[in-house]
């Protein structure tokens, strides 16, 4: 069974940083592209960032470019999202998703609330 | 960026009746390899999203056959042949062809 377990959410201040992690199991992590999607409270889904299976290529939405960095550790089956210069509008549940062009399995999400 | 629009944004339905959601993209979604990466997700209240349909019309394992996807180019449709109570939730289309990938705004399906 595929499992995706996000962690690292919290209550950073505006301008602060946070590192999200996604521990995976139940599939060959190193063979799959991965994605981060977020959902602001009461709002829709927003694609944030993606990474190829090898880690060599990364992709970002415009609002994440220059502030967020997606990475992966294929030896530990773990996906990360380093978030810097956080803004109030980054407040959301962040989901780790298996796949890129045709994402399938989703984690339960981790809540990030940017507030002073 | 590719803008995804959905209509309607709210869809009250009668149990047992059909429902249809339209999704339109601001650009064609055919990738250079000939595939069209248009996916549909269902998000039930309080749950993570779940994929129903990928590549326009391929239904995921375990998804009831009352769900079907169709379309091409920039116009796509998700149909539910007979709505059941468990279908209540928000439905999103998502394009995986042009970076950055984008979701539609969502269609809220509830029971009349």
């Amino acid at each position: 069974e595929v499992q995706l377990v996000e962690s690292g959410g919290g209550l950073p201040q505006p301008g602060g940083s946070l590192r999200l992690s996604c521990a995976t199991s139940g599939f060959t992590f190193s063979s799959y592209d991965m994605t981060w999607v977020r959902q602001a409270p009461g709002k829709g889904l927003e694609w944030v960032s993606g990474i190829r299976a090898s880690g060599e290529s990364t992709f970002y939405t415009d609002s994440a470019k220059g502030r967020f960095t997606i990475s992966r550790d294929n030896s530990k089956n773990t996906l990360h999202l380093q978030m810097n210069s956080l803004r109030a509008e980054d407040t959301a549940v962040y989901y780790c998703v298996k796949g890129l062009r045709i994402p399938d399995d989703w984690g339960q999400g981790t809540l990030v609330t940017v507030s002073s | 960026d590719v803008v995804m629009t959905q209509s309607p944004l709210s869809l009250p339905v009668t149990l047992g009746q059909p429902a249809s959601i339209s999704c339109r993209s601001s650009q064609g979604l055919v990738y250079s390899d000939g595939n069209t990466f248009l996916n549909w997700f269902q998000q039930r209240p309080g749950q993570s999203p779940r994929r129903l349909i990928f590549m326009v019309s391929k239904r995921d394992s375990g998804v009831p056959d009352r769900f079907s996807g169709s379309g091409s180019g920039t116009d796509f449709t998700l149909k539910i042949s007979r709505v059941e109570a468990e279908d209540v939730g928000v439905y999103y289309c998502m394009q995986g062809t042009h970076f950055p990938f984008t979701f539609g705004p969502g269609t809220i399906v509830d029971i009349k």
Side-chain angles (χ1 to χ4, degrees):
Chain A
E1 180 194 2
V2 171
Q3 291 203 345
L4 305 162
V5 181
E6 301 94 337
S7 61
L11 195 60
Q13 294 188 339
S17 299
L18 211 58
R19 189 190 196 209
L20 306 183
S21 296
C22 173
T24 73
S25 60
F27 65 103
T28 305
F29 180 72
S30 59
S31 297
Y32 284 87
D33 302 337
M34 296 292 293
T35 297
W36 286 99
V37 173
R38 68 184 180 184
Q39 186 169 35
K43 302 298 184 182
L45 302 173
E46 180 184 16
W47 189 89
V48 175
S49 181
I51 186 168
R52 294 287 189 202
S54 65
E56 289 184 357
S57 296
T58 58
F59 311 92
Y60 300 92
T61 193
D62 288 348
S63 63
K65 279 180 191 171
R67 300 189 303 128
F68 294 3
T69 303
I70 190 172
S71 63
R72 62 192 296 157
D73 185 339
N74 284 348
S75 69
K76 295 182 178 178
N77 300 330
T78 303
L79 178 72
H80 300 288
L81 186 68
Q82 176 67 43
M83 304 188 295
N84 299 330
S85 303
L86 284 163
R87 307 165 180 164
E89 54 264 36
D90 296 319
T91 293
V93 172
Y94 285 73
Y95 293 102
C96 167
V97 190
K98 173 173 158 279
L100 191 56
R101 295 192 186 278
I102 45 175
D104 47 19
D105 297 288
W106 296 60
Q108 85 289 347
T110 188
L111 177 62
V112 174
T113 304
V114 183
S115 174
S116 55
Chain B
D1 298 0
V2 176
V3 177
M4 305 297 288
T5 56
Q6 291 181 228
S7 63
L9 297 181
S10 178
L11 183 56
V13 294
T14 300
L15 289 174
Q17 293 300 302
S20 180
I21 301 170
S22 171
C23 172
R24 289 194 168 93
S25 58
S26 61
Q27 298 177 34
L29 297 184
V30 179
Y31 187 53
S32 55
D33 63 2
N35 290 313
T36 299
F37 295 103
L38 187 284
N39 310 302
W40 288 96
F41 297 88
Q42 174 196 60
Q43 188 174 30
R44 291 171 170 151
Q47 296 186 12
S48 298
R50 163 202 184 196
R51 195 181 71 188
L52 299 176
I53 302 284
F54 62 99
M55 293 174 68
V56 181
S57 59
K58 300 180 189 299
R59 191 167 49 244
D60 271 277
S61 172
V63 173
D65 61 7
R66 64 179 181 273
F67 289 93
S68 64
S70 63
S72 63
T74 61
D75 288 339
F76 304 93
T77 302
L78 176 71
K79 291 183 178 177
I80 310 173
S81 59
R82 294 173 307 279
V83 172
E84 298 191 5
E86 65 178 16
D87 301 335
V88 166
V90 185
Y91 292 77
Y92 298 92
C93 60
M94 175 225 153
Q95 66 86 14
T97 297
H98 303 288
F99 284 110
F101 300 157
T102 43
F103 287 89
T107 294
I108 301 170
V109 172
D110 63 3
I111 305 301
K112 281 182 183 175

